Every structure is written in structure tokens, then in C-alpha cells.
């Protein structure tokens, strides 16, 4: 079930800073109280394979997100202690040393289950005994939240598929354009390109002037 257009859950979750500080972070309040956008990205597990490439990619683009008044926050179901160990593991040894944004430690899967992004299934046998299947870690889910706490984008990748960080910058640019100008952004829109009014005449004009 899609959460786009709805408010992000108003709940505080344990987190770890790059300095090793134990934090409590409420994503909804990060957006609304600080009047900023938030990019929250979930990854399956610390000390794995695709995951460190993504965490470093978001770190490398952190300045671009900050220019757009957007806070980046990572998340998994690992503990703060495991996060801290990974933060102190060098990049050339598969670690995330150098990552400076906070990382949620949703060890009880409280928020992840609300969002419906945990790889788990429950079933019952003929005697009513519960059985469990799945990895019990999260998919690669990404949420963009605006200054009112509303989710304006969500995406969920299967675990082997890494994300394109530049696409989230483009989506933030597009949403900000909509907020500022009241226009809508056509396919493949990028900052500086033509947008449209939300009516038939404007769509027709755009299509007529952007023929291949």
C-alpha cells in the first residue's frame, strides 16, 4: 500500500551519529520542526555488499542535498553498536568510515513494520502454530518527506538493486519547482527545463514544442 500523500509516521527511533552518540530521531519532526525536506533510505544490513556503496554514494552527494535544504538519514534494523563498528571500519575494508549523516537503528522493526518494508511472511499450520519465512531485514526503501511531514515520493528496490542517488536530487528539484511555481513537471524534467501548467492547453503546447 502506497504512503505517498500521507504524513510520515510520528515516531522516534534509536539512531547513531558518526561520533558514536546514541540518538532518538523522529523523521516527522525533523521535517516539520526544522522546516526542511528529509530523505530517509533503508538498506538491508550492515557489513554487507551493495549497502556500503549506497551509503558512500549518499555521503558523496550530501552537499547537494544540503543545498536543497534536505536532511539525509540512513536506516536499517541493526543495533547502534553494529552501526558504530561499521562507521569505524575503513572504506577499503568494506566499511562506511567517513559517513557523517545519522543512521536509524530500528532493531525492534517498529517503524519498518509500519512502513511495510520488512522481508517477512507469517503463516499457520493446521494446528495453529505460527511459522516464519523471509530474511527479516528491510528492502531498499526510500522516502522523500516535505516540510509538512508529507511523503511525496517512495520507492522500494529488491535487495540486489542499488539506487541512483542523482534521481532523488532530480525529484527534490521537481517537487521544489512545483511548490514554488505551481507548475507540473513532465517526464525527464530537470532543473532549468520547461515545466507546464496543469491544464490541457499547456500540455498541448509543451508536446508541440518538444517534438523529437
Amino acid at each position: 500500500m502506497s504512503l505517498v500523500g500521507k504524513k510520515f509516521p510520528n515516531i522516534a527511533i534509536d539512531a547513531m551519529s558518526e561520533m558514536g552518540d546514541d540518538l532518538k530521531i523522529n523523521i516527522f519532526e525533523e521535517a516539520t520542526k526544522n522546516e526542511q525536506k528529509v530523505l530517509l533510505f533503508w538498506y538491508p544490513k550492515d557489513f554487507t555488499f551493495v549497502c556500503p556503496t549506497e551509503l558512500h554514494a549518499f555521503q558523496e552527494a550530501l552537499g547537494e542535498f544540503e543545498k536543497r535544504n534536505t536532511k539525509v538519514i540512513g536506516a536499517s534494523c541493526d543495533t547502534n553498536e553494529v552501526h558504530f563498528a561499521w562507521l569505524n571500519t575503513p572504506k577499503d575494508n568494506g566499511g562506511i568510515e567517513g559517513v557523517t549523516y545519522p543512521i536509524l537503528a530500528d532493531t525492534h522493526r517498529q517503524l519498518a513494520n509500519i512502513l511495510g518494508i520488512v522481508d517477512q511472511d507469517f503463516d499457520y499450520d493446521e494446528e495453529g502454530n505460527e511459522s516464519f519465512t523471509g530474511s527479516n531485514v528491510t528492502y531498499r526503501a526510500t522516502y522523500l518527506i516535505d516540510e509538512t511531514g508529507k511523503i511525496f515520493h517512495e520507492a522500494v528496490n529488491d535487495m540486489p538493486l542499488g539506487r541512483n542517488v542523482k534521481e532523488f536530487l532530480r525529484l527534490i528539484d521537481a517537487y521544489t519547482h512545483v511548490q514554488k511555481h505551481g507548475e507540473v513537471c513532465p517526464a525527464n524534467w530537470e532543473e532549468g527545463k520547461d515545466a507546464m501548467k496543469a491544464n490541457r492547453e499547456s500540455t498541448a503546447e509543451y508536446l508541440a514544442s518538444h517534438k523529437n
Side-chain angles (χ1 to χ4, degrees):
M1 181 179 69
S2 175
L3 298 176
V4 170
K6 299 178 181 178
K7 298 292 186 181
F8 196 85
N10 189 349
I11 181 174
I13 300 295
D14 289 337
M16 171 61 62
S17 76
E18 81 279 9
M19 300 300 295
D21 298 320
D22 292 325
L23 309 172
K24 282 278 190 180
I25 293 181
N26 183 318
I27 301 296
F28 180 82
E29 291 184 352
E30 286 288 329
T32 57
K33 289 189 175 181
N34 297 320
E35 297 183 344
Q36 63 184 350
K37 294 181 176 66
V38 176
L39 182 148
L40 172 66
F41 74 97
W42 293 79
Y43 61 91
K45 204 172 182 180
D46 292 355
F47 291 99
T48 51
F49 318 111
V50 175
C51 298
T53 69
E54 292 193 308
L55 273 81
H56 285 297
F58 279 109
Q59 178 65 35
E60 289 167 7
L62 199 58
E64 292 300 316
F65 286 106
E66 291 172 349
K67 288 178 186 177
R68 294 161 172 80
N69 192 33
T70 301
K71 185 177 183 67
V72 173
I73 299 175
S76 80
C77 297
D78 296 280
T79 65
N80 270 348
E81 292 77 14
V82 176
H83 284 340
F84 188 57
W86 206 25
L87 282 162
N88 281 280
T89 301
K91 184 176 182 179
D92 60 8
N93 197 27
I96 58 168
E97 187 177 42
V99 166
T100 61
Y101 50 81
I103 305 173
L104 299 187
D106 189 19
T107 54
H108 297 292
R109 291 153 179 77
Q110 189 175 8
L111 179 55
N113 277 321
I114 292 172
L115 298 172
I117 57 173
V118 181
D119 175 28
Q120 60 182 5
D121 286 301
F122 296 94
D123 201 358
Y124 296 90
D125 60 23
E126 294 179 354
E127 297 178 354
N129 298 313
E130 186 179 68
S131 62
F132 168 82
T133 59
S135 64
N136 205 32
V137 298
T138 65
Y139 294 105
R140 297 187 192 281
T142 314
Y143 297 89
L144 294 177
I145 301 108
D146 73 11
E147 298 85 347
T148 70
K150 185 183 79 172
I151 299 169
F152 66 91
H153 172 80
E154 66 177 337
V156 182
N157 290 6
D158 201 356
M159 295 172 194
L161 306 176
R163 281 161 279 217
N164 183 336
V165 173
K166 291 181 181 180
E167 172 64 4
F168 300 114
L169 292 169
R170 188 193 73 84
L171 287 166
I172 292 167
D173 286 342
Y175 190 77
T176 301
H177 184 92
V178 172
Q179 289 176 308
K180 288 182 177 179
H181 303 285
E183 296 179 317
V184 294
C185 297
N188 299 321
W189 183 91
E190 294 177 341
E191 184 67 44
K193 292 187 176 181
D194 294 335
M196 307 183 301
K197 300 295 184 184
N199 58 55
R200 185 176 298 177
E201 292 79 10
S202 183
T203 300
E205 290 174 5
Y206 178 87
L207 292 172
S209 61
H210 291 78
K211 295 178 179 179
N212 291 332

